[in-house]
Amino acid sequence: MPASRNSLAASIRAALLTADPRAKAMAARDTARQWRHGRLEFDLADGAAAMPRCPAWPEKPELMDPRHMPRRGKGGSEKGRIALWHALAHIEFVAIDLALDMAGRFGGAMGVEFVADFLAVAADEAMHFALLDRKLRSLGSRYGALPAHAGLWETAERTAHDVSARLAIVPMVLEARGLDVTPSTLERVRSQGDSGGAKILSRILDDEIRHVAIGTKHFIAICRENGESPQKRWKSLVREHFRGGLKAPFNDSARLAAGLSRDFYSGLAS
């Protein structure tokens, strides 16, 4: 008689509702591992109803409007370096929840491959956060010691009703932006003699290309199933749901490696 399996929806929800950053990262990785080993029951038919509107987060960092965030500078001083790594850690922390919510909220309709893809993304983001948290501690700081960007989860709330919109904005705008800015940050860190930090950023960049590719793959599949132009549909969703506009310059080669060719974002850049 086969062993009974635990609930996938409950495991994702529990990870989302874990506030402690390290514990959330561990819960995300455990959910992905349990799913990969076939120990979780696919029970996401009503996944959206099972997912919380907002994940649980720690009391610190203090979340601030992006317009009021203190400027980081170029990261040359010890204070500037800590601010850089803290900002990156916060992005990866929220990215754990974004990937978990993607799998849990939309996986019932999208299917097993979609769930497997985004649980793998969640595990990657958790690993990135763990690396960055360790980096902060090596500098005598910790995640939560500085204020952080409050707007990252707002995108999830604005696109909670539509998987196409969520895919268009989270992997294909927010994560794609990481492809644009990470190489220059990596070179700056390397020029400061921080080989360990450079290795972390190189790993993140490689993984983010794959994450953007996953989002783009599923977005294009939806558009083709609906008989829509992926490029036209993406531009329409970006105009509707993304505040701030796309900003050049773009890392065209990394974007192309992720399946995001210039005909997607040409004409939208400010």
Side-chain angles (χ1 to χ4, degrees):
M1 182 176 179
S4 62
R5 292 186 289 175
N6 294 321
S7 163
L8 173 61
S11 186
I12 294 174
R13 179 181 174 84
L16 285 166
L17 292 177
T18 299
D20 179 79
R22 288 181 163 187
K24 184 189 288 287
M26 291 177 62
R29 296 181 75 176
D30 184 64
T31 297
R33 182 169 54 252
Q34 296 295 328
W35 169 256
R36 192 168 60 251
H37 291 308
R39 298 170 186 157
L40 296 175
E41 186 72 37
F42 187 88
D43 59 347
L44 294 173
D46 194 19
M51 296 302 113
R53 178 176 176 272
C54 186
W57 295 319
E59 292 184 5
K60 296 289 185 178
E62 176 189 0
L63 300 181
M64 297 180 63
D65 186 296
R67 295 170 297 180
H68 302 146
M69 285 287 293
R71 295 180 65 84
R72 289 203 310 265
K74 295 296 183 180
S77 66
E78 182 179 358
K79 182 178 179 181
R81 287 193 292 271
I82 289 172
L84 168 66
W85 293 110
H86 192 279
L88 294 173
H90 181 64
I91 290 169
E92 299 298 330
F93 177 71
V94 178
I96 300 170
D97 286 328
L98 289 170
L100 288 170
D101 188 77
M102 183 83 84
R105 187 171 300 278
F106 303 113
M110 293 297 294
V112 170
E113 180 184 349
F114 183 92
V115 169
D117 280 345
F118 282 100
L119 288 183
V121 171
D124 284 347
E125 308 293 17
M127 182 268 292
H128 297 167
F129 173 78
L131 291 173
L132 293 164
D133 180 56
R134 189 184 309 155
K135 179 67 174 176
L136 278 170
R137 291 173 186 273
S138 76
L139 295 171
S141 188
R142 59 180 175 77
Y143 178 62
L146 299 175
H149 193 304
L152 295 174
W153 185 256
E154 291 176 4
T155 299
E157 294 182 324
R158 291 198 300 272
T159 58
H161 64 293
D162 182 359
V163 65
S164 294
R166 179 70 67 84
L167 289 166
I169 304 304
V170 174
M172 298 174 73
V173 172
L174 299 183
E175 290 201 78
R177 184 59 180 159
L179 304 184
D180 303 330
V181 302
T182 301
S184 61
T185 304
L186 193 161
E187 288 307 313
R188 187 164 70 246
V189 167
R190 185 177 285 139
S191 72
Q192 295 166 354
D194 185 356
S195 59
K199 287 180 181 178
I200 293 172
L201 292 177
S202 294
R203 175 63 186 270
I204 290 174
L205 179 59
D206 288 344
D207 289 344
E208 297 296 353
I209 291 173
R210 189 173 68 257
H211 298 173
V212 176
I214 287 170
T216 303
K217 174 187 72 173
H218 287 290
F219 181 81
I220 289 174
I222 293 170
C223 291
R224 287 178 175 167
E225 185 176 333
N226 294 334
E228 300 174 305
S229 161
Q231 293 84 356
K232 289 181 180 178
R233 179 62 174 153
W234 184 77
K235 289 179 180 180
S236 173
L237 289 167
V238 170
R239 291 188 181 102
E240 181 179 357
H241 295 288
F242 185 65
R243 299 170 183 171
L246 305 185
K247 294 180 174 59
F250 300 111
N251 185 345
D252 292 329
S253 60
R255 284 170 171 258
L256 184 59
L260 198 58
S261 54
R262 287 183 63 90
D263 52 352
F264 275 93
Y265 51 91
S266 62
L268 283 181
S270 58

